[in-house]
Amino acid sequence: MLDSTTLRVTLGVITLILFLLFAFVTYRSTRSAFSFWWCAALVLFMGGTLAYLQDGTANQAWANPLGNGLIVAGAASVWMASRSLRLRPSPWWLVVGPAALVTAVSSFDSPATNDWSGGPLFLALTGGLIILSTREIIVLDAGLSRTRWPLILTSGALGVYYLGRFVAFLASGPRSDLFVSWFGTPSTTLITLALLTVVSFSMASLSGEQTAKVLAARAARSRQELLDGGSVQRRLLPQSVPDLPGYDVAGACVPSGAVSGDFFDWQRTPEGLAVTLADVMGKGVGAAMIAATVRASLRAASPSEGPRHTMSVVDRAVEPDLEANDAFVTLLHLQLDAESGEIVAVDAGHGLGVVCRADGSRDVIPSLNLPLGAFGTQTWATSTTHLDPGDLLLICSDGVLDLFDGSLEALARAADTAAGADPTAAEAVLSITRLASQGHHPDDVTVVAVRRDAAGTDHERGSRN
């Protein structure tokens, strides 16, 4: 049979190999508390085993108590690893406290001549800590891991074995035939070596599963936060249609994800209506935050002084934020005079506003300005058009173009689709957003439609001429 020294050296070498594998594969990839504590346990077990190699030499006086303390600290680290699986705190003093206690007791138990100094306390603490670790794994969610039961059986067997050593130590002493045959150093080292190897590989699997569970929970929280953000964003869109006699207004935004970088807004003015549709560069949360900033700035600017003044106020307000984030916003902001049908518009690099005439012709609102944030603040140019009875004003985001062929000519196809729908603004918007719901759309789809009632068309046009 192999002697104790050879077995201890073997255990130390295998513990070192297990540590290197666990540290450079599992811990390096997961960085979890669980992996950290198991790496610590392997190092402490290895250190304790090496300290015991000094038994029978002049160094036994300090090495034996040190070995006891390191092994107990290793068992406590296993407990901390198991606690971390349940997201319970793993304070350092639960490791240092038992280790310091057994080291102190062993130091006063004649360690120079007694290679079992502090033996009862050492065995009780080691067995008890491993049993506590097993208990933590038992109370885990049964669906957490495929390796849960093998780990419970192996760690539980090791804990029971150490408690058996404790009972045999008290009953017959460390020199008795019973203790030496069943619980002596050679037997213990072999059993510990076998179970430690099994437990290490089970721990590696469990560590990976724990990390996957944490990442899945984090992803679920992120998804929920996005959904909550999207819900807030939808509630910031106009929730009611303005009461504007002679006109029909509708709008919709279909995000490509949970949140949108597009938005539309309208405000009733004494003369009629102010309408805005904006498209922030990019997608996701960042674009949504910038969109909210631009919307708030538009709301803060009084529309009574005209689109040029409104855009100047917004430009000064958001330009520093856009520059800081290296972002820009295309935007069409217009004000409609309800009595005359005159539209005064500022197009900031958007170019996706078109008037669909009742006679079938199309007038695209020209883009005379750069996008917000493109080159700092700018002087805003306006354009003017009319919305005659029976005409439809359609404003889109560039995501609408992707519903067709993605080219600028797709705006004409979108206009044909909207103009060919039932003669209401809501149906014009629905005719386009319905396309987005039929399949994947890579960009946010936002549409606003303003239709002027057709009643009295000939009379009103004759009066104006």
Side-chain angles (χ1 to χ4, degrees), residues 71 362 451:
I71 295 296
R362 306 282 185 263
R451 183 184 292 274

Side-chain angles (χ1 to χ4, degrees), residues 81-319:
S82 299
R83 285 171 64 93
S84 73
L85 289 173
R86 297 175 59 204
L87 303 180
R88 298 184 65 192
S90 49
W92 61 268
W93 54 267
L94 286 179
V95 176
V96 175
L101 177 62
V102 75
T103 302
V105 170
S106 299
S107 298
F108 289 99
D109 194 15
S110 305
T113 57
N114 179 15
D115 60 358
W116 271 101
S117 60
L121 180 61
F122 164 74
L123 294 173
L125 285 174
T126 303
L129 289 167
I130 295 175
I131 291 294
L132 287 173
S133 174
T134 305
R135 177 192 172 276
E136 295 289 342
I137 300 172
I138 289 174
V139 297
L140 278 174
D141 179 6
L144 175 67
S145 172
R146 298 183 299 273
T147 60
R148 178 171 171 266
W149 276 110
L151 192 55
I152 289 172
L153 293 175
T154 50
S155 62
L158 187 59
V160 169
Y161 179 78
Y162 265 90
L163 291 181
R165 294 184 83 197
F166 169 71
V167 173
F169 187 99
L170 294 180
S172 59
R175 312 301 176 189
S176 66
D177 291 340
L178 171 67
F179 191 89
V180 172
S181 298
W182 295 97
F183 301 107
T185 298
S187 302
T188 300
T189 305
L190 283 173
I191 291 172
T192 303
L193 180 59
L195 295 181
L196 189 62
T197 302
V198 173
V199 170
S200 290
F201 283 101
S202 298
M203 287 289 194
S205 176
L206 197 57
S207 179
E209 291 174 19
Q210 183 202 31
T211 301
K213 181 180 178 182
V214 170
L215 292 176
R218 191 177 299 166
R221 286 196 300 271
S222 297
R223 284 194 298 270
Q224 187 58 50
E225 288 171 359
L226 284 173
L227 291 174
D228 292 343
S231 178
V232 171
Q233 191 177 49
R234 285 189 294 275
R235 288 194 292 270
L236 291 177
L237 294 174
Q239 300 299 302
S240 60
V241 177
D243 181 17
L244 190 63
Y247 293 85
D248 185 16
V249 183
C253 178
V254 183
S256 63
V259 293
S260 173
D262 293 356
F263 75 89
F264 69 92
D265 198 13
W266 51 56
Q267 291 177 273
R268 189 73 163 82
T269 64
E271 294 78 17
L273 187 68
V275 178
T276 305
L277 189 149
D279 184 351
V280 180
M281 177 192 70
K283 303 179 184 69
V285 176
M289 293 176 67
I290 293 174
T293 301
V294 176
R295 176 190 177 277
S297 299
L298 280 162
R299 283 281 174 141
S302 172
S304 61
E305 297 186 52
R308 182 183 287 111
H309 173 78
T310 297
M311 288 303 301
S312 296
V313 172
V314 173
D315 196 4
R316 289 193 299 270
V318 304
E319 194 277 331

Side-chain angles (χ1 to χ4, degrees), residues 395-417:
I395 312 171
C396 306
S397 66
D398 58 4
V400 171
L401 305 183
D402 294 329
L403 300 177
F404 297 92
D405 59 10
S407 67
L408 288 177
E409 287 72 20
L411 179 61
R413 296 178 61 187
D416 291 341
T417 299

